[in-house]
């Protein structure tokens, strides 16, 4: 077996472990940390189902961002939707028998790759042009976008510019999944694309890309407005803790 | 104060070009050792302050999920950047909410995250140096914790939570703010923010009884420490003698009088404000709030009603239950606590008060939503009631009501510029500049719709506007209590 194949296999296994382990750790950390006081941004829903609707709006439509900044909303919405379509299209590499809906989705995924690249261009451009955003941006903010951009460009090139041996590539991926290593096609675009994706997987749990799980755990968005009506902490229980902040008190209002 | 200049009011508020550091020299006075120690904080900067600060930050991260999520999640999208009144008024880039957060986030990354430990430059991680501490002190005291930024953030990142945490960390290492910490000390020692002792309080209230008798001929009482009263009224101490607050207090008294509800103030808990929220100390916040529980128990009241005070209503509505609850000793038929506007609105809608709105016909009134009420509390049963109930009260007692522009009201309201523990003269320049967006919106309705008064339900808003209105060429007496409008329109003694 070629050294390249072995190197990439190791890299991808490592990246997968870091990604899954890192995200699980973060999510566990968020889930275990108490939110001692009720701080939903009002007006907030009065019921859990209301909160679910609010959260669905934030996750699915970026409602607050829409209220705040239309350009940021347009570019990032295009980016996230096209990313989703592209990821769905990539499912064809992990199923031995590709489900019909993935086949149908495939052309959308292909063209979404172009939108993905354009929207990333928009996000980078906006970061450079808008003086306020430029002030906030550090090297990692640009690098992250450039990394995604490079992943998108190499991916789109394989689809629209120079076709690669995706049958062999799929065999390689399935081989990884079933612990039965198959050779990785020795084509530059594939090698670059996969290496960049592995890099992304490695940095994701340590980066601001944590905003993905973060939004679900944000107390300003996921708490129910019931602070006045529902008794929360028996008074004597609270007074046992020297500091409300350091003693876990009462039940938590989050979802 | 000649160096204090107000921005000029144009058609709309221009978003300024961000310039870092234009406000860096405006630092609020630091607390003296005596004021620090009264709250159990070290008097001066402790030895080994870096480690102690990091340690305290770590404790806060472990116990406040919001803080951790907010420090991790910002993607620098910029949506919040033009939403802060202090940025709009000063143009200082560090007053953009995300940039303000970054002052703490840089340190968080450096000491609590892997990339910050390995590649600090790349991810904007910074060591906790004297300069960084200095910038914390400056810019976390240029945030009024109004939460406007949080409304527009895709993750709800609440800069108020971050600046509260930063102030708590600073207090822990001996760097506190004079204004807040001195006031909290007064509450512990005397019972209210103004340091008004009980005899003076009684005196003032007796004087008010005489004033109301003189002007109306009716014996409206202002009772203190009456055991067995139905309602304990908890109100900001500014209501006892600051203008225009005091006319609001007269309004509450007339409402209770006319509705026949027995009520009392408490000399033990003669303060609704809870400045401990501003310094991010849950322990202090609980201590300050506990006086109210004690007073309610001692006076054997059945209800607690909170007067016009923005952040006090936040603490009461959102935190009391957790900090000093449960209120199972109070009458379960009422929400506990209730806002005075809820009480008045309910009485008016049931026809329990006789109102003559023409008493306010000389006035064209607009309403300033106070940030803490609008974005951190509710009134009535429906979401958004905190906006509807006060308006409903105003409309019932006043025939001429005008709204300011929608981008400046409701949950998008702008802070008055003096909230969050910044209502101190050493920050006057910031306060004047931070009032810009509200002044802009007010000026527009003054010009176009002949507005004469702006009503508010917050003691801080009232004091702040009284001070800054003249800087914008507006009359300081424009600002008025909602319950002054009520008090002026109530027909006393008319009930059969
Ligand atoms: S909480 Fe208010 S004052 Fe503080 S940064 Fe946000 S908008 Fe500005
Ligand atoms: S809106 Fe939220 S995510 Fe965007 S820059 Fe501001 S704090 Fe960061």
């Amino acid at each position: 077996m070629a050294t390249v194949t072995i190197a990439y296999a190791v890299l991808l296994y490592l990246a997968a472990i870091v990604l899954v382990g890192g995200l699980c750790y973060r999510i566990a950390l968020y889930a275990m940390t108490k939110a001692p006081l009720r701080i939903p941004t009002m007006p907030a829903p009065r019921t859990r189902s209301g909160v679910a609707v609010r959260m669905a709006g934030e996750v699915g439509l970026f409602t607050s961002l829409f209220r705040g900044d239309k350009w940021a909303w347009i570019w990032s919405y295009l980016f996230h939707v096209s990313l989703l379509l592209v990821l769905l299209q990539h499912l064809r590499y992990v199923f031995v028998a590709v489900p019909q809906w993935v086949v149908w989705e495939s052309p959308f995924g292909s063209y979404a790759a172009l939108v993905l690249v354009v929207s990333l261009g928009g996000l980078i451009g906006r970061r450079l042009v808008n003086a306020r955003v430029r002030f906030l941006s550090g090297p990692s903010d640009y690098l992250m976008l450039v990394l995604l951009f490079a992943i998108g460009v190499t991916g789109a090139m394989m689809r629209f510019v120079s076709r690669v041996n995706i049958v062999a590539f799929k065999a390689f991926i399935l081989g990884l999944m079933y612990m039965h290593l198959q050779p990785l096609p020795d084509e530059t675009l594939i090698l670059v694309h996969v290496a960049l994706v592995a890099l992304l997987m490695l940095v994701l749990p340590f980066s601001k890309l944590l905003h993905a799980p973060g939004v679900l755990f944000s107390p300003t968005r996921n708490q129910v407005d019931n602070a006045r009506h529902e008794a929360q902490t028996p008074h004597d229980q609270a007074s046992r803790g020297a500091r409300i902040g350091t003693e876990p008190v009462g039940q938590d209002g989050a979802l | 104060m000649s160096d204090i200049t107000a921005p000029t009011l144009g058609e709309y508020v221009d978003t300024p070009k961000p310039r870092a550091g234009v406000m860096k020299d405006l630092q609020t006075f630091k607390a003296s050792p005596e004021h620090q120690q009264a709250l159990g904080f070290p008097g001066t900067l402790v030895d080994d302050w870096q480690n102690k600060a990091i340690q305290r930050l770590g404790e806060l991260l472990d116990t406040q999920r919001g803080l951790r999520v907010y420090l991790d999640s910002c993607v620098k999208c910029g949506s919040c950047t033009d939403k802060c009144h202090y940025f709009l008024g000063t143009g200082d880039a560090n007053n953009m909410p995300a940039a303000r957060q970054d002052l703490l986030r840089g340190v968080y990354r450096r000491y609590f995250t892997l990339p910050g430990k390995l590649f600090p430059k790349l991810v904007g991680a910074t060591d906790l140096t004297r300069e960084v501490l200095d910038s914390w002190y400056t810019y976390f005291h240029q945030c009024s914790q109004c939460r406007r930024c949080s409304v527009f953030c895709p993750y709800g990142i609440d800069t108020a939570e971050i600046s509260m945490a930063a102030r708590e960390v600073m207090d822990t290492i001996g760097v506190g703010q004079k204004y807040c910490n001195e006031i909290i000390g007064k509450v512990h020692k005397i019972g209210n923010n103004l340091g008004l002792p009980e005899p003076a309080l009684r005196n003032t209230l007796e004087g008010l009884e005489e004033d109301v008798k003189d002007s109306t001929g009716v014996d409206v009482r202002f009772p203190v420490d009456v055991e067995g009263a139905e309602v304990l009224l908890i109100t900001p101490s500014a209501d006892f003698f600051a203008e225009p607050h005091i006319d609001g207090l007269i309004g509450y008294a007339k409402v209770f009088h006319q509705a026949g509800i027995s009520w009392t103030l408490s000399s033990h808990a003669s303060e609704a404000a809870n400045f401990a929220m501003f310094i991010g100390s849950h322990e202090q916040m609980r201590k300050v709030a506990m006086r109210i529980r004690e007073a309610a128990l001692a006076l054997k009241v059945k209800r607690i009603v909170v007067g016009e005070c923005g952040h006090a209503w936040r603490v009461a509505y959102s935190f009391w239950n957790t900090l000093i609850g449960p209120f199972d000793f109070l009458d379960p038929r009422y929400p506990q606590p209730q806002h005075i506007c809820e009480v008045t609105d309910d009485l008016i809608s049931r026809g329990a008060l006789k109102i003559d709105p023409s008493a306010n016909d000389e006035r064209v009134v607009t309403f300033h939503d106070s940030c803490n009420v609008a974005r951190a509390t509710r009134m009535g049963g429906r979401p958004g009631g905190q906006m509807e109930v006060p308006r409903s009260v105003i409309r019932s007692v006043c025939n001429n009501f005008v709204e300011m522009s929608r981008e400046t009201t409701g949950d998008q309201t702008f802070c008055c510029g003096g909230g969050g523990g910044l209502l101190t003269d050493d920050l006057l320049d910031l306060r004047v500049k931070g009032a810009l967006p509200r002044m802009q919106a007010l000026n527009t309705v003054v010009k176009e719709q002949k507005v004469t008064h702006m009503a508010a339900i917050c003691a801080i808003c009232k004091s702040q506007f009284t001070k800054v209105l003249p800087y914008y060429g507006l009359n300081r007496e424009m600002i008025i209590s909602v319950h002054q409008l009520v008090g002026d329109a109530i027909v006393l003694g008319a009930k059969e």
Side-chain angles (χ1 to χ4, degrees):
Chain A
M1 186 103 357
T3 8
V4 178
T5 300
I6 296 173
Y8 268 75
V10 172
L11 179 65
L12 284 173
Y13 279 133
L14 184 73
I17 291 168
V18 169
L19 177 67
V20 174
L23 280 184
C24 288
Y25 171 74
R26 268 297 133 179
I27 289 171
L29 197 60
Y30 289 162
M32 277 162 18
T33 309
K34 293 278 174 198
L37 293 177
R38 296 298 168 89
I39 57 168
T41 329
M42 304 283 196
R46 296 199 51 193
T47 57
R48 298 245 158 147
S49 43
V51 166
V53 171
R54 181 184 210 181
M55 198 52 94
E58 295 293 356
V59 173
L61 298 169
F62 306 178
T63 36
S64 295
L65 184 60
F66 184 79
R67 286 182 83 186
D69 190 320
K70 301 289 185 279
W71 277 113
W73 184 86
I74 289 171
W75 292 125
S76 59
Y77 202 72
L78 284 177
F79 166 71
H80 284 90
V81 169
S82 54
L83 179 66
L84 178 69
L85 293 175
V86 167
L87 286 175
L88 289 178
Q89 192 217 28
H90 280 65
L91 287 177
R92 69 208 300 214
Y93 295 106
V94 301
F95 287 112
V96 182
V98 181
Q100 193 56 38
W101 68 268
V102 176
V103 177
W104 283 330
E105 195 273 341
S106 197
F108 294 101
S110 298
Y111 289 100
L114 299 177
V115 180
L116 182 89
V117 170
V118 171
S119 64
L120 281 164
L123 286 170
I124 294 170
R126 181 173 168 275
R127 214 166 264 292
L128 291 166
V129 170
N130 181 319
R132 283 173 282 119
V133 185
R134 194 169 63 232
F135 180 86
L136 295 177
S137 304
S140 62
D141 299 303
Y142 292 106
L143 287 176
M144 210 60 99
L145 286 173
V146 169
L147 175 61
L148 288 163
F149 187 77
I151 292 172
V153 167
T154 48
M157 279 173 70
M158 286 186 277
R159 171 67 182 73
F160 296 105
V161 182
S162 84
R163 307 295 295 240
V164 294
N165 186 350
I166 56 168
V167 176
F169 180 68
K170 176 166 179 174
F172 168 74
I173 295 291
L174 287 174
L176 284 181
M177 289 171 57
Y178 294 101
M179 304 279 176
H180 184 263
L181 216 50
Q182 302 294 317
L184 176 65
D186 194 4
E187 297 186 57
T188 318
L189 276 177
I190 292 186
L191 294 182
V192 174
H193 187 72
V194 173
L196 292 175
V197 169
L199 183 60
L200 180 67
M201 290 162 75
L202 286 169
V203 296
L204 197 130
F206 306 102
S207 71
K208 65 170 188 179
L209 301 182
L210 285 174
H211 67 274
V215 60
L216 298 172
F217 288 97
S218 171
T220 30
R221 293 291 185 266
N222 79 2
Q223 287 183 341
V224 178
D225 168 13
N226 61 4
R228 174 162 63 162
H229 295 274
E230 262 173 37
Q232 325 215 330
T233 312
H235 160 61
D236 54 351
Q237 187 183 336
S239 53
R240 258 182 265 133
R243 277 207 163 103
I244 294 290
T246 50
E247 189 92 331
V249 287
Q251 12 124 246
D252 193 3
L255 269 173
Chain B
M1 296 286 166
S2 55
D3 54 336
I4 291 169
T5 47
T8 40
L9 299 179
E11 287 284 301
Y12 47 85
V13 179
D14 282 317
T15 305
K17 283 248 163 307
R19 289 169 299 152
V22 282
M23 294 299 283
K24 73 172 188 315
D25 294 329
L26 186 65
Q27 270 200 352
T28 183
F29 296 156
K30 293 198 171 124
S32 68
E34 176 199 338
H35 295 142
Q36 283 286 98
Q37 281 151 0
L39 306 189
F41 298 131
T44 50
L45 188 64
V46 295
D47 301 333
D48 197 26
W49 61 271
Q50 273 111 332
N51 287 329
K52 296 238 163 68
I54 298 304
Q55 187 197 337
R56 184 67 188 134
L57 179 58
E59 289 167 8
L60 295 178
L61 286 166
D62 286 341
T63 50
Q64 299 182 14
R65 169 155 34 84
L67 185 65
R68 190 182 281 281
V69 169
Y70 300 153
L71 288 176
D72 277 339
S73 301
C74 175
V75 295
K76 313 293 160 74
C77 71
S79 179
C80 60
T81 52
D82 54 352
K83 305 302 186 292
C84 177
H85 51 293
Y86 291 123
F87 172 66
L88 294 173
T90 67
D92 191 323
N94 289 325
N95 278 330
M96 299 190 296
R100 193 188 311 286
Q101 298 159 20
D102 274 350
L103 299 173
L104 187 65
R105 187 175 285 120
V107 171
Y108 162 72
R109 289 218 170 125
R110 184 75 180 106
Y111 296 89
F112 295 94
T113 71
L114 194 63
K117 286 176 187 162
L118 297 177
F119 320 105
K121 286 256 159 49
L122 200 65
V123 296
T126 42
D127 288 321
L128 180 51
T129 60
R130 236 359 234 266
E131 288 75 55
V132 170
L133 178 62
D134 209 47
S135 71
W136 283 6
Y137 191 77
T138 307
Y139 291 106
F140 289 120
H141 290 102
Q142 295 192 14
C143 167
S144 59
Q145 307 174 339
C146 75
R147 313 180 92 206
R148 189 168 194 267
C149 44
S150 145
V151 170
F152 300 96
C153 173
Y155 318 109
I157 296 177
D158 186 358
T159 318
E161 290 295 307
I162 291 175
S163 78
M164 287 169 191
R167 292 187 195 179
E168 160 72 5
V169 169
M170 288 189 281
D171 271 329
T172 318
I173 58 170
V175 185
Q177 186 212 19
K178 173 170 184 276
Y179 178 65
C180 278
N181 291 3
E182 186 177 4
I183 280 180
I184 298 169
K186 276 190 213 158
V187 175
H188 290 322
K189 226 164 124 191
I190 305 167
N192 53 56
N193 283 9
L194 295 172
L196 194 68
E198 190 189 331
L201 176 65
R202 285 183 186 277
N203 236 324
T204 311
L205 294 171
E206 274 164 27
L208 280 180
E209 289 180 354
E210 282 162 27
D211 290 351
V212 177
K213 172 96 181 167
D214 286 348
S215 59
T216 66
V218 180
D219 279 310
V220 174
R221 301 255 298 113
F222 289 77
V224 194
D225 295 337
V226 177
E227 223 184 280
E230 162 98 2
V231 165
L232 169 62
L233 179 76
I234 300 293
T235 206
S237 56
D239 282 0
F240 299 132
F241 69 82
E243 285 290 347
H245 312 59
I246 198 160
D247 298 303
L249 176 64
I250 294 172
Y252 320 148
K254 287 182 178 172
V255 168
F256 288 129
H257 173 92
Q258 202 53 23
I261 300 172
S262 69
W263 67 290
T264 184
L265 294 157
S266 156
S267 60
H268 177 61
S270 50
E271 179 63 68
N274 193 330
F275 276 33
M277 182 176 86
F278 301 152
I279 63 167
S281 166
H282 293 188
E283 184 194 7
Q284 284 293 328
M285 185 152 63
R286 185 169 157 275
K287 265 193 196 152
V288 170
M290 192 56 81
R291 296 164 310 122
I292 292 156
R293 182 188 175 88
E294 290 159 2
L297 283 167
L299 295 171
K300 304 193 174 63
V301 295
K302 298 191 186 68
R303 303 162 62 182
I304 303 179
V305 172
V306 179
E308 296 182 3
C309 181
H311 80 279
W313 181 236
R314 177 180 191 186
V315 175
Y317 178 90
S318 294
F319 303 155
W320 272 4
N321 215 342
T322 308
L323 295 173
I324 59 166
F327 294 112
D328 44 10
F329 58 94
L330 297 170
D331 188 337
R333 290 172 303 165
Y334 296 91
Q336 307 287 358
Q338 255 186 316
H339 194 279
I340 185 73
C341 284
E342 295 180 302
V343 174
T344 303
D345 191 46
D346 182 51
L347 290 169
I348 293 176
S349 67
R350 289 195 285 112
L353 301 175
K354 186 159 183 221
I355 301 288
D356 173 18
S358 69
N360 284 311
D361 274 355
E362 299 288 287
R363 295 171 170 141
V364 181
V365 177
T366 188
F367 180 65
H368 165 76
D369 286 288
S370 296
C371 55
N372 270 298
V373 174
R375 287 188 283 264
T377 73
R378 175 163 50 83
M379 291 180 203
R382 282 185 297 162
Q386 66 273 34
M387 274 56 102
E388 286 160 19
V389 171
R391 283 174 172 75
S392 157
V393 171
I394 297 173
R395 285 180 202 277
S396 314
V397 299
C398 171
N399 290 320
N400 315 311
F401 177 70
V402 166
E403 286 283 4
M404 287 181 280
S405 121
R406 282 200 36 215
E407 299 84 66
T408 71
T409 53
D411 72 340
Q412 300 193 54
T413 190
F414 278 100
C415 165
C416 61
L422 309 187
L423 189 77
T424 166
D425 279 348
D426 38 294
L427 289 174
L428 188 57
D429 189 27
L430 179 79
R431 288 167 51 193
V432 169
K433 294 186 162 91
L436 171 70
R438 173 50 71 227
M439 292 296 103
Q440 168 68 45
L442 175 62
N443 195 43
T444 305
V445 289
V446 167
K447 289 245 158 66
E448 292 173 3
Q449 295 178 272
K450 311 255 175 306
V451 163
T452 61
H453 289 83
M454 178 166 67
I457 45 170
C458 172
I460 288 178
C461 296
K462 293 173 202 171
S463 302
Q464 157 76 354
F465 287 133
T466 305
K467 187 95 181 187
V468 303
L469 277 162
Y471 287 90
Y472 289 90
L474 293 161
N475 182 352
R476 68 201 295 273
E477 283 167 14
M478 287 188 76
I479 177 75
I480 190 170
S481 300
V482 166
H483 273 79
Q484 175 171 359
L485 296 170
V486 175
D488 289 354
I490 283 190
V491 184
L492 285 178
K495 219 166 76 167
E496 284 86 48

